[in-house]
């Protein structure tokens, strides 16, 4: 774990008004260096999945390194185009949605549009054809998302290949679609079966993809391996990933896309909060100005218990575990939701009102999911560069009001 204490001084942390999401820019740059190496060695194009990490105010280095971005909705597609770049910057903007209500909005931004069914492809393909005919230098490539009926993801809420999944065309339906419509106009196939997984999961997944869809690769230009590849995690098998991509490209003669979101923002920053009160109910309960349900929803959805540090009297101390340290606390948020709880934490020294709690690795799947339940203020956004903190954005009452 890349702890804040290793690079951020207590004085710097004390100066931050809570709650605040804080990017540690040097850690982002380190992740990008690794991803750049993977791109160069494997030949894959790595795209930022904005659904996981969309801290666009500090995209300068990211823009230089990655091959583009992926979007799951209309506004993400526009943000991708504006802040990462489009074809004018030689960048990809790949868009996938389980279903499109309309598509004209996407045409100025997208380089690739991926459909979740043959019906949606048939419905919107004429508009893409007309666009491509009128704008030959702004050609939009079309793909279909497939479901290889294999995924090692748990829990099921994150498993795109779970029974009755709405994501991807299953083999039997794909065969029917090919028989009825053919694949003329389909440039590529897309599968997404991973979530926080190592390269060995991809190694076991590819045979299933090829079993069901390998026969359709002839004439295709690209295959998108989706996201969930935890490339920047310390124990990730980068060499295996590079080999898998190299072999696939050479064997099938297609371009390969990888679209990590979490791996880009993995351990690049934290959410800092303050202890507002400590109450008693069969133990110590510290109430923070930061909410699990409003500011860290994946902690409840996954669920998982984040790593934490406390800052008290200028001294940083790591959490010792649920019931290891002498002083034990349940950390909870300020909303009325009874389950707005981060979990049980313990320390070797007591927690005081006014102390700060730093929740590690809170830049991915937090800002993109947060909300203003109970009218709780949104955390501000900041960055630490060369040991100095700078506020990038603060939110106020009108941000809450305009969302309702």
């Amino acid at each position: 774990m890349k702890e804040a204490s290793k690079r951020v001084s207590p004085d710097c942390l004390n100066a931050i008004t809570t709650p605040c999401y804080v990017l540690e820019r040097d850690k982002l740059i380190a992740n990008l260096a690794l991803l750049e190496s993977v791109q160069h060695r494997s030949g894959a194009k790595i795209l930022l999945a904005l659904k996981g990490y969309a801290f666009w105010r500090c995209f300068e280095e990211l823009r230089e390194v990655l091959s583009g971005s992926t979007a799951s909705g209309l506004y993400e597609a526009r943000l991708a185009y504006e802040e990462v770049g489009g074809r004018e910057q030689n960048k990809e903007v790949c868009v996938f949605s389980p279903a499109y209500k309309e598509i004209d909005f996407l045409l100025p931004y997208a380089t690739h549009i991926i459909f979740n069914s043959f019906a949606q492809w048939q419905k919107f393909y004429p508009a893409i054809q007309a666009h491509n005919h009128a704008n030959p230098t702004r050609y939009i490539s079309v793909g279909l998302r497939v479901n290889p009926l294999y995924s090692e993801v748990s829990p099921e809420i994150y498993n795109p290949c779970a029974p009755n999944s709405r994501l991807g065309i299953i083999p039997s339906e794909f065969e029917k679609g090919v028989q009825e419509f053919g694949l003329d106009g389909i440039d590529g196939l897309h599968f997404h079966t991973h979530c926080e997984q190592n390269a060995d999961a991809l190694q076991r997944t590819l045979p299933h993809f090829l079993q069901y869809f390998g026969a359709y690769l002839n004439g295709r230009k690209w295959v998108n391996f989706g996201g969930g590849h935890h490339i920047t995690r310390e124990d990730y098998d980068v060499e295996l990933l590079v080999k898998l991509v190299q072999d696939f490209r050479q064997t099938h003669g297609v371009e390969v896309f990888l679209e990590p979101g979490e791996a880009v923002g993995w351990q690049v920053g934290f959410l800092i909060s303050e202890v507002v009160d400590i109450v008693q109910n069969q133990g110590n309960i510290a109430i923070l100005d930061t909410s699990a349900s409003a500011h860290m929803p994946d902690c409840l959805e996954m669920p998982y218990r984040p790593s934490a540090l406390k800052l008290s009297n200028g001294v940083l101390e790591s959490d010792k575990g649920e019931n290891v340290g002498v002083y034990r606390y349940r950390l909870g948020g300020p909303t009325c939701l009874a389950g707005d709880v981060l979990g049980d934490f313990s320390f070797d020294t007591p927690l005081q009102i006014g102390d700060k709690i730093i929740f590690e690795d809170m830049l991915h799947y937090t800002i993109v999911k947060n909300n203003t339940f109970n009218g709780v203020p949104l955390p501000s956004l900041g960055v630490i560069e060369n040991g100095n903190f700078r506020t990038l954005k603060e939110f106020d009452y009108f941000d809450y009001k305009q969302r309702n």
Side-chain angles (χ1 to χ4, degrees):
M1 177 64 66
K2 305 173 186 175
E3 293 184 349
S5 58
K6 291 183 178 178
R7 293 186 180 175
V8 183
S9 71
D11 287 343
C12 181
L13 293 171
N14 263 326
I16 301 173
T17 301
T18 63
C20 184
Y21 299 106
V22 181
L23 170 70
E24 295 174 88
R25 197 164 199 152
D26 57 340
K27 295 181 180 179
L28 173 62
I29 292 171
N31 281 355
L32 291 171
L34 176 57
L35 295 172
E36 184 175 33
S37 171
V38 171
Q39 277 193 138
H40 177 72
R41 295 170 57 207
S42 71
K45 287 189 174 182
I46 296 184
L47 313 177
L48 167 67
L50 285 167
K51 64 184 177 183
Y53 180 78
F55 204 94
W56 61 267
R57 289 173 174 83
C58 292
F59 269 8
E60 291 86 352
E61 294 87 1
L62 183 151
R63 208 177 285 125
E64 293 178 5
V65 169
L66 300 186
S67 296
S69 51
T70 65
S72 303
L74 302 180
Y75 295 159
E76 277 189 358
R78 180 172 176 177
L79 183 66
Y81 179 84
E82 292 179 350
E83 299 300 336
V84 182
R87 55 175 47 84
E88 295 87 351
Q89 294 79 32
N90 197 30
K91 298 293 185 182
E92 314 289 358
V93 179
C94 292
V95 185
F96 166 79
S97 175
Y100 300 94
K101 188 174 181 180
E102 56 91 7
I103 210 163
D104 289 347
F105 180 92
L106 293 173
L107 300 182
Y109 309 122
T111 60
H112 298 67
I113 296 179
I114 300 167
F115 293 100
N116 197 50
S117 71
F118 280 85
Q120 281 258 299
W121 169 42
Q122 291 299 300
K123 178 178 181 180
F124 292 114
Y125 190 48
I128 298 175
Q129 283 182 305
H131 167 88
N132 288 345
H133 179 74
N135 305 275
T137 61
R138 302 182 62 83
Y139 176 84
I140 295 175
S141 185
V142 177
L144 293 171
R145 176 165 174 170
V146 298
N147 181 341
L149 303 180
Y150 179 85
S151 174
E152 301 177 11
V153 172
S154 179
E156 193 165 285
I157 188 175
Y158 291 103
N159 187 344
C161 298
N164 303 118
S165 172
R166 74 193 195 287
L167 300 173
I169 307 167
I170 62 174
S172 59
E173 291 300 307
F174 194 88
E175 184 177 352
K176 292 178 185 176
V178 171
Q179 290 174 354
E180 184 173 357
F181 302 109
L183 288 176
D184 187 25
I186 295 297
D187 294 322
L189 300 179
H190 171 216
F191 68 90
H192 182 120
T193 62
H194 289 41
C195 179
E196 296 187 346
Q197 286 173 300
N198 212 316
D200 59 334
L202 176 62
Q203 185 178 39
R204 291 187 291 271
T205 300
L206 285 174
H208 294 267
F209 169 76
L210 292 172
Q211 174 188 349
Y212 293 117
F213 304 104
Y216 304 109
L217 291 181
N218 186 36
R220 308 287 80 77
K221 299 176 181 177
W222 51 265
V223 174
N224 189 325
F225 285 11
H229 310 277
H230 232 188
I231 302 168
T232 53
R233 196 176 70 201
E234 188 173 2
D235 65 343
Y236 188 88
D237 193 342
V238 171
E239 298 306 316
L240 177 58
L241 174 66
V242 169
K243 185 177 187 306
L244 290 172
V245 172
Q246 287 175 335
D247 290 348
F248 194 93
R249 292 177 61 240
Q250 182 176 2
T251 301
H252 302 287
V254 294
E255 192 170 47
V256 170
F257 294 109
L258 302 170
E259 45 179 45
E262 184 165 323
V264 177
W266 178 246
Q267 294 187 358
V268 301
F270 53 89
L271 176 57
I272 186 167
S273 61
E274 182 178 325
V275 177
V276 178
D277 196 11
I278 299 176
V279 299
Q280 300 294 322
N281 186 346
Q282 299 180 331
N284 300 311
I285 303 171
I287 301 175
L288 312 179
D289 60 0
T290 298
S291 165
S293 62
H295 305 150
M296 296 174 272
D298 263 15
C299 291
L300 300 182
E301 287 181 14
M302 182 62 88
Y304 77 98
R305 176 185 174 279
S307 297
L309 303 91
K310 79 177 183 76
L311 177 61
S312 181
N313 297 318
V315 178
L316 276 167
E317 180 187 338
S318 296
D319 160 53
K320 298 300 183 294
E322 290 190 0
N323 294 296
V324 178
V326 176
Y327 299 92
R328 301 170 184 179
Y329 303 86
R330 176 158 293 178
L331 303 183
T335 75
C336 69
L337 177 68
D340 189 1
V341 172
L342 270 301
D344 296 328
F345 297 76
S346 67
F347 305 94
D348 288 338
T349 58
L351 198 61
Q352 306 290 337
I353 294 172
D355 286 352
K356 290 187 174 178
I357 300 292
I358 297 98
F359 293 103
E360 295 288 359
D361 197 22
M362 284 293 160
L363 267 287
H364 55 83
Y365 287 108
T366 51
I367 303 169
V368 295
K369 283 187 169 187
N370 65 18
N371 61 76
T372 56
F373 178 57
N374 276 186
V376 171
L378 291 169
S380 55
L381 308 176
V383 59
I384 291 175
E385 303 166 293
N386 301 316
N388 299 309
F389 172 76
R390 176 166 56 96
T391 300
L392 299 173
K393 171 71 176 177
E394 294 178 315
F395 300 91
D396 58 21
Y397 164 72
F398 293 99
D399 294 294
Y400 160 72
K401 183 176 182 181
Q402 294 304 317
R403 289 173 68 147
N404 288 280

